[in-house]
Amino acid sequence: MHQWVPNRIRMFPAFDPWLTSSVAADVAMAASASADALATRQARRLAALLSSAARRSPAYRRLLGGRNASQVRLQDLPVTRKPDLMNRFAEWVTEPEIRLDALRRFTADPSRIGEPFMGRYVVWESSGSSGEPAIFVQDASAMAVYDALEALRRPVLRPLQRFFDPWGLGERIVFVGATGGHFASIVSIERLRRLNPALSGRLRSVSFLQPVQRLVGELQDQAPTAVATYPSAAVLLAEERLAGRLNIAPQEIWTGGETLSPAMRRFVEQAFGCPVVNSYGASEFLSLGCECRCGSLHLNGDWVILESVDAHGAAVALGAVGATTLLTNLANHVQPLIRYDLGDRITLHAAPCACGSRLPVIEVQGRCDDTLWLGSPGTATVHVLPLALSTVLEDAAGLFDFQLVQEGPSELRLSSARRGEAAAGALRRAATMLAAFLAEQGAGVVQIHCRSGQPCRRGRTGKLKRIIASPH
């Protein structure tokens, strides 16, 4: 668990109880609102965001070109991207007092995780998996929205437990992830602990970037009733559970931050004997969506707009997956994100969910894994999507804890942290099935080298990139 520097004055994070209560009431009502009522909320908040950005952000004032913000169509605005915005940070933010050099000094100090920046703002940084990390700044208004969405839109998996223990006094929640940087998950946890010290004994974090044996030992000491982590980490913990090395009995597992395939969900649920609930979030908007009781992922469309677009930036049809996703954050006026290229690939569905909610149903393919370009000398090069590769390895071969790295035009390395002859045999079987699949795709003969007992390389946040293309 993160420790603060001794003798530092304790500062409470950005939090407005009256505003939070008001936003929470609206979030609760919107969960059962009609499609028209949701559209009205979204349109009103978009107009307010554009008006604020035009008045207070020099960068967006230029982008809007003097047009009346209330009459601008979102689709007519240009796409914005992280490198461009970070390079113009002083012109991007709407508060001149927020300086990038000061933010970088702040986020370079792990002892200040969860501490308010300038006494007013909540700050976290992105992982930097797609380039230089971005730094995101939220005020009390934005945090009120994130708090309400996290608290009220997550499904209640154990209604009797909630009835007899409405304040969660019997819960022990452990986050398993990266705890040494100013990342959204750990900052959010430390912020809650600062706001309510009574949570300190019931809301903890364990670093995933440590040897598995030590991780297992810390988790067993905590004996969590709920575990929050990435899907790939949940799979690793399930492997440890099935091997008899991890003896915990959580009643819920919460995942997010990576793609959770149906096979991964089944594997984790069977290993722990408890339900898995998945959510969708990003550094750019903390709580993009969460699953309902029917298992559908609902976009929090009353507070965020996601546009699924093709490679040329044109909207794709409902039911089709786009090349990337453009995000507009309706809650954060301090650091406006309007048609921001998020990098994820999503599918927006037209049909309403059986749960009754009119919030849009989406499917998400994360940005993490690469498309492989393969081909033997003298043959045509073919591209193979990461979802197809992971489907073969998970559903057909039953391999979950893996990393596939391209080492040449027709050469791959398939590795797993599992050790022993059984693990080596599982890798060989998976490699055989994968080679046959790639041959069917026209990739020719692909050499696949197996490496068991080799920990997978993870990013700064602990997220696992499972399929890595050749840099050449």
Side-chain angles (χ1 to χ4, degrees):
M1 173 57 64
H2 165 69
Q3 300 291 327
W4 295 293
V5 173
N7 301 322
R8 174 170 282 145
I9 297 174
R10 183 175 177 83
M11 301 174 68
F12 287 95
F15 178 72
D16 183 328
W18 299 110
L19 179 60
T20 299
S21 298
S22 174
V23 172
D26 183 82
V27 165
M29 289 188 293
S32 57
S34 67
D36 288 343
L38 290 171
T40 298
R41 281 174 165 84
Q42 186 185 91
R44 182 177 70 248
R45 288 165 184 160
L46 175 61
L49 172 67
L50 293 177
S51 177
S52 172
R55 287 184 291 103
R56 302 168 58 199
S57 167
Y60 275 107
R61 190 178 304 125
R62 285 197 299 272
L63 284 177
L64 287 166
R67 288 173 284 181
N68 187 330
S70 64
Q71 299 176 358
V72 172
R73 291 197 324 152
L74 183 63
Q75 296 81 358
D76 294 335
L77 295 177
V79 174
T80 58
R81 294 179 172 84
K82 178 181 70 175
D84 296 334
L85 293 174
M86 288 300 296
N87 287 336
R88 296 182 293 162
F89 189 88
E91 298 180 336
W92 173 19
V93 294
T94 61
E95 299 289 348
E97 65 183 0
I98 302 174
R99 299 179 60 86
L100 183 57
D101 55 351
L103 282 168
R104 283 178 170 154
R105 288 194 299 271
F106 180 84
T107 56
D109 185 352
S111 73
R112 307 188 74 174
I113 294 172
E115 181 179 310
F117 177 71
M118 300 180 63
R120 296 179 53 193
Y121 303 105
V122 178
V123 173
W124 55 65
E125 60 178 338
S126 64
S127 65
S129 59
S130 57
E132 180 187 358
I135 299 177
F136 297 99
V137 184
Q138 288 79 204
D139 62 5
S141 296
M143 293 309 302
V145 174
Y146 299 156
D147 289 342
L149 293 175
E150 282 289 301
L152 299 176
R153 295 271 167 92
R154 187 182 296 275
V156 178
L157 300 181
R158 293 175 288 149
L160 286 178
Q161 173 72 13
R162 178 68 63 87
F163 178 80
F164 289 110
D165 184 17
W167 303 107
L169 298 179
E171 298 286 10
R172 296 180 303 280
I173 303 169
V174 176
F175 166 67
V176 179
T179 61
H182 288 250
F183 306 122
S185 296
I186 189 63
V187 168
S188 299
I189 289 172
E190 294 299 340
R191 172 177 173 268
L192 288 175
R193 285 163 54 88
R194 282 175 172 265
L195 287 170
N196 186 358
L199 288 173
S200 295
R202 297 183 285 107
L203 181 59
R204 296 184 176 273
S205 58
V206 173
S207 174
F208 190 71
L209 304 179
Q210 62 177 320
V212 175
Q213 297 89 338
R214 193 182 306 164
L215 166 62
V216 166
E218 288 193 30
L219 264 181
Q220 292 191 157
D221 290 342
Q222 302 295 341
T225 60
V227 174
T229 191
Y230 306 121
S232 61
V235 166
L236 183 142
L237 296 178
E239 296 272 9
E240 294 296 304
R241 166 80 171 172
L242 292 175
R245 294 184 289 267
L246 176 61
N247 297 307
I248 60 173
Q251 299 174 57
E252 301 178 15
I253 294 178
W254 308 336
T255 61
E258 298 172 343
T259 299
L260 175 71
S261 70
M264 293 170 75
R265 184 195 295 271
R266 288 193 300 270
F267 181 74
V268 174
E269 287 183 335
Q270 290 169 5
F272 286 103
C274 72
V276 173
V277 61
N278 195 43
S279 62
Y280 176 38
S283 300
E284 292 82 356
F285 193 98
L286 193 60
S287 184
L288 289 166
C290 195
E291 289 181 340
C292 68
R293 58 181 173 81
C294 297
S296 299
L297 186 64
H298 287 272
L299 174 68
N300 290 320
D302 46 342
W303 281 104
V304 65
I305 299 173
L306 294 186
E307 301 172 70
S308 183
V309 298
D310 63 20
H312 304 289
V316 301
L318 293 174
V321 63
T324 190
T325 298
L326 307 181
L327 174 146
T328 298
N329 182 330
L330 302 177
N332 190 347
H333 288 207
V334 172
Q335 191 178 18
L337 292 167
I338 303 171
R339 305 204 82 205
Y340 173 96
D341 191 345
L342 188 60
D344 290 346
R345 304 176 68 226
I346 69 168
T347 302
L348 291 161
H349 293 284
C353 181
C355 74
S357 173
R358 295 298 174 177
L359 291 167
V361 175
I362 62 173
E363 290 182 45
V364 181
Q365 297 178 22
R367 77 194 85 175
C368 193
D369 291 331
D370 295 336
T371 295
L372 300 187
W373 293 81
L374 298 167
S376 302
T379 65
T381 301
V382 298
H383 68 276
V384 187
L385 295 176
L387 182 61
L389 295 165
S390 59
T391 298
V392 171
L393 292 171
E394 291 176 357
D395 292 349
L399 187 67
F400 302 96
D401 175 23
F402 71 86
Q403 194 163 53
L404 186 66
V405 180
Q406 185 174 7
E407 297 185 321
S410 57
E411 192 172 1
L412 302 174
R413 182 179 77 249
L414 180 63
S415 59
S416 170
R418 297 174 61 189
R419 300 178 182 275
E421 182 53 39
L427 275 178
R428 289 193 294 269
R429 289 191 297 274
T432 299
M433 300 182 77
L434 180 59
F437 169 77
L438 293 174
E440 292 175 357
Q441 306 305 305
V445 178
V446 177
Q447 298 294 322
I448 304 175
H449 308 289
C450 297
R451 300 286 187 273
S452 61
Q454 180 174 311
C456 300
R457 293 181 289 170
R458 291 181 175 268
R460 297 168 64 228
T461 62
K463 292 183 182 181
L464 173 64
K465 189 170 185 177
R466 299 199 300 169
I467 300 171
I468 302 173
S470 170
H472 305 295

